Amino acid sequence: MNISDIMTEKNFFLGIRANNKREFLQELSNRAAELTGLDSRTIFETFLERENLGSTGFGGGSALPHGRFEGLDKVYAIFAKPSNPLDFDAIDNKPVDMVFALLSPEDSGADHLTALAKLSRILKDESLCKKLRQIHRPIEIFALINE
């Protein structure tokens, strides 16, 4: 699985305005609904359910909210940056300024896990994350993570 299998240049949202994690997830859900055709409330509730199990704040200023959805035909990844770093209850207590979200079909066990692993590797690469934080154009971010 390549990044280009789960993302296009339309899957990037920079400067999302939110005062907290909940507001950010709501806005992210609205944008994900436009991409996927799913109901934004369903996406938001699924993200919240996952957060209630434990924060998806990955550490190092990154988060990876994710969920599985009935009616979705393929895996979607979204890259988003809040306008200001947010408290995401991350494992290292650092505010989050970079987010990948993953939305997968309900029955996509292997594809969901493969995509999660691919995105996790990106978020664990400190050098790559530093570059991603410096770029402010979706097409450049897409090119960098698709290499």
Side-chain angles (χ1 to χ4, degrees):
M1 175 181 291
N2 296 315
I3 289 293
S4 60
D5 296 329
I6 58 176
M7 297 185 88
T8 70
E9 294 157 4
K10 295 178 183 177
N11 298 43
F12 293 82
F13 303 104
L14 310 180
I16 293 179
R17 295 189 188 282
N19 294 314
N20 55 52
K21 175 170 66 169
R22 186 178 182 90
E23 285 180 17
F24 179 82
L25 290 174
Q26 179 65 63
E27 185 57 34
L28 185 63
S29 298
N30 293 341
R31 295 176 189 213
E34 292 173 14
L35 285 174
T36 64
L38 294 174
D39 176 66
S40 64
R41 186 78 189 155
T42 299
I43 297 170
F44 178 63
E45 289 172 357
T46 300
F47 283 165
L48 281 183
E49 284 175 23
R50 175 56 189 85
E51 290 299 320
N52 287 336
L53 294 174
S55 176
T56 59
F58 202 84
S62 303
L64 184 53
H66 56 277
R68 296 182 193 203
F69 300 88
E70 184 178 330
L72 203 57
D73 61 341
K74 66 176 197 147
V75 176
Y76 289 85
I78 296 170
F79 180 86
K81 289 183 180 180
S83 57
N84 296 304
L86 299 170
D87 179 4
F88 226 85
D89 302 314
I91 59 171
D92 62 359
N93 294 316
K94 291 184 180 176
V96 166
D97 64 354
M98 186 168 56
V99 174
F100 273 109
L102 186 66
L103 296 88
S104 300
E106 195 170 47
D107 60 353
S108 67
D111 286 345
H112 180 77
L113 294 176
T114 300
L116 270 176
K118 184 163 276 300
L119 297 176
S120 294
R121 277 193 296 279
I122 291 170
L123 294 174
K124 286 181 182 178
D125 184 332
E126 291 179 24
S127 174
L128 179 56
C129 286
K130 184 177 180 181
K131 291 175 188 174
L132 290 172
R133 285 185 170 92
Q134 295 170 348
I135 299 172
H136 302 286
R137 291 185 40 187
I139 194 164
E140 293 174 5
I141 295 170
F142 183 66
L144 182 62
I145 63 174
N146 210 28
E147 287 179 357

